[in-house]
């Protein structure tokens, strides 16, 4: 698809993040299983639920802009998840594995923060207020998740791993 304008780029980026979110819903259950810390498991479980809502939110965004949700595969998220999977296959002490899982999960969140930050800015520029609102809502959830992971790492997991 030729990208002629910012609207085309917005659709392209939305399809990428839609693919990314779908990949994340498949990876998170494995990360929940691999985690030992209750706090970390809980954070992953909560974010899995949020991620499912984020996918629905994206589907409503696609309806608003009259485009299909599918089209792009997010190869970056595929790579980030591959790294997480190879980390989960390592032999590691429980708390060290928890620390490693946080490291992987924060890579996911940072990618999402970049992606949602970008698309919400495009939506704003294009005057798509309802679209922008939904994207900003998800952006805030990703930021909160990232901050929660930092907190769990600093207050619990990293100390135990040390
Ligand atoms: Fe997400
Ligand atoms: Fe991508
Ligand atoms: Fe996320």
């Amino acid at each position: 698809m030729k990208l002629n304008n910012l609207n085309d780029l917005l659709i392209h980026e939305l399809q990428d993040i839609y693919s990314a979110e779908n990949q994340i819903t498949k990876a998170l259950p494995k990360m929940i299983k691999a985690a030992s810390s209750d706090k970390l498991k809980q954070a992953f479980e909560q974010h899995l639920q949020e991620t499912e809502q984020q996918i629905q939110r994206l589907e409503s965004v696609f309806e608003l802009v009259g485009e299909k949700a599918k089209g792009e595969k997010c190869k970056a998220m595929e790579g980030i998840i591959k790294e997480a999977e190879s980390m989960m296959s390592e032999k590691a002490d429980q708390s060290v594995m928890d620390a490693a899982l946080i490291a992987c999960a924060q890579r996911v969140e940072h990618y999402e923060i970049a992606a949602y930050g970008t698309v919400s800015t495009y939506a704003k520029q294009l005057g798509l207020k309802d679209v922008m609102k939904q994207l900003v809502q998800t952006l805030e959830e990703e930021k909160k998740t990232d901050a929660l992971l930092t907190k769990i790492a600093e207050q619990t997991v990293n100390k135990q791993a040390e």
Side-chain angles (χ1 to χ4, degrees):
M1 175 179 129
K2 192 186 167 200
L3 305 170
N4 288 310
N5 52 43
L6 195 64
N7 191 71
D8 292 349
L9 186 57
L10 171 68
I11 304 307
H12 191 281
E13 295 287 323
L14 286 171
Q15 287 170 337
D16 180 88
I17 190 70
Y18 185 72
S19 159
E21 294 285 22
N22 277 290
Q23 293 182 57
I24 293 163
T25 57
K26 289 183 190 111
L28 272 173
K30 297 176 202 168
M31 295 172 77
I32 293 166
K33 262 192 198 164
S36 301
S37 148
D38 286 341
K39 277 182 191 162
L40 183 57
K41 263 186 196 289
Q42 231 177 43
F44 284 159
E45 273 161 12
Q46 192 195 322
H47 199 52
L48 177 56
Q49 284 181 5
E50 269 174 353
T51 301
E52 281 159 2
Q53 288 168 10
Q54 291 170 354
I55 288 172
Q56 288 179 0
R57 215 173 276 145
L58 280 174
E59 284 166 356
S60 81
V61 162
F62 280 109
E63 267 192 39
L64 282 170
V65 296
E67 294 284 342
K68 285 195 184 126
K70 289 193 172 118
E72 290 301 317
K73 171 144 198 181
C74 181
K75 295 192 186 78
M77 191 54 68
E78 191 179 31
I80 292 171
I81 289 170
K82 265 188 194 158
E83 278 193 8
E85 278 169 352
S86 99
M87 187 59 88
M88 286 188 277
S89 73
E90 299 277 351
K91 275 188 201 150
D93 181 88
Q94 282 188 347
S95 51
V96 177
M97 180 56 76
D98 281 349
L101 289 168
I102 291 175
C104 297
Q106 287 195 291
R107 283 173 168 79
V108 170
E109 296 317 312
H110 281 236
Y111 183 87
E112 292 184 288
I113 290 165
Y116 281 107
T118 300
V119 286
S120 62
T121 303
Y122 291 171
K124 187 181 179 195
Q125 177 63 36
L126 292 163
L128 302 167
K129 265 193 188 161
D130 291 343
V131 170
M132 187 200 76
K133 271 186 199 164
Q134 307 231 47
L135 298 173
V136 167
Q137 196 181 341
T138 297
L139 175 62
E140 292 310 316
E141 287 174 1
E142 311 297 16
K143 284 182 183 171
K144 260 192 199 165
T145 301
D146 181 53
L148 176 63
L149 290 169
T150 297
K151 193 177 148 200
I152 294 170
E154 289 182 349
Q155 293 186 354
T156 318
V157 166
N158 290 356
K159 284 180 190 168
Q160 284 167 352
E162 186 181 8

